[in-house]
Amino acid sequence: HEVHLVYTRLRTEERMLADALRARGFGVRTHADSELVLPLSRERWQDGGPVLMRSMSFTRARYLSSILEVKGSRVLNTAHCIATCGDKALTTLALARAEVPIPWAFVGFEEEACVAQMQERGFPVVTKPVLGSWGRMVARVDGVHAAEGMMSMRFEMGGAQDHVALVQQYIDKPGYDLRVYVIGKSVGGMRRRSEHWVTNTARGAVPERYEVPESHARLAEQAARAVGGEMVAVDLLETRAGEVMVNEINHCVEFARSIEFTGIPLPELMADYVRETLR
Ligand code: ADP
Ligand code: ZN
Ligand code: MG
């Protein structure tokens, strides 16, 4: 079998994944998403072999995975998983449907209605773009004046697809959040520690290994199931009282900044998962 790896940039992750697949006897063909122009038809793509979707662009990943599935390719993660995880409102909704514990959240479509709902719930709250990653534009809103400013920006800037506000309960974390990797099953995790309330490693948080307790592993697996995630990173928020909730799920697992700290062999585990699912 050949595995097709679709990428935006061949980062450390993509190189390590390709190496791990080759070490297991797979041929690996890499495809830049920018060069793919795919007919919208059932016509088979390439040799019909499995596809690892590693595009960094949500737009490209979502369309390409949908198209390739119609063509009969086995895409990891699935188009449904990507479409759900790429949109934080849809992720939250899928988690709510599956009764996974989450911070309360709402979406709204107009400034006054959103600000009124925030005031009713009480500050602080968090608002973030439904499409986005690496902690970009995640904002903590401590009071009504910031809320008005944030909401007017949300609804007066950007295009139609930006005109939805996602507002979430602010969780007072104990200086870190948690990430559990689910590669078929929970395989380990990391704690991301930061002085700042935004704990992305892309924003300078320090990754540490943490021994995932059974309860966190089960919660992450339940969350992954809720979005149809086979190879995902599930982000958990812990309150100072020790209550644990699911914040978001990442469908394109990144590990370049953390693998040396966690020691979790993610490329090998992912390659093993690909091999198992193709049996
Ligand atoms: P991204 O996809 O950009 O990583 P997240 O929703 O994961 O977006 O938010 C980035 C970080 O911001 C989280 O890892 C966490 O540290 C912090 N954060 C996000 N939402 C909340 C929240 N509701 N309460 C507390 N911290 C939050
Ligand atoms: Zn994310
Ligand atoms: Mg995150």
Side-chain angles (χ1 to χ4, degrees), residues 58 79-92 94 226-227 249 251:
F58 177 49
H80 173 74
C81 170
I82 292 170
T84 306
C85 293
D87 180 312
K88 289 182 170 66
L90 295 183
T91 309
T92 307
V227 297
I249 304 178
H251 58 82

Side-chain angles (χ1 to χ4, degrees), residues 147-187:
E148 288 165 351
M150 278 304 304
M151 290 300 105
S152 72
M153 280 160 70
R154 169 73 63 230
F155 295 110
E156 277 162 42
M157 291 179 9
Q161 75 281 359
D162 302 305
H163 295 165
V164 51
L166 171 63
V167 178
Q168 224 185 14
Q169 178 184 5
Y170 171 71
I171 304 298
D172 186 21
K173 305 184 294 299
Y176 59 78
D177 77 351
L178 303 168
R179 168 166 291 187
V180 177
Y181 301 103
V182 178
I183 312 298
K185 61 180 195 304
S186 166
V187 298

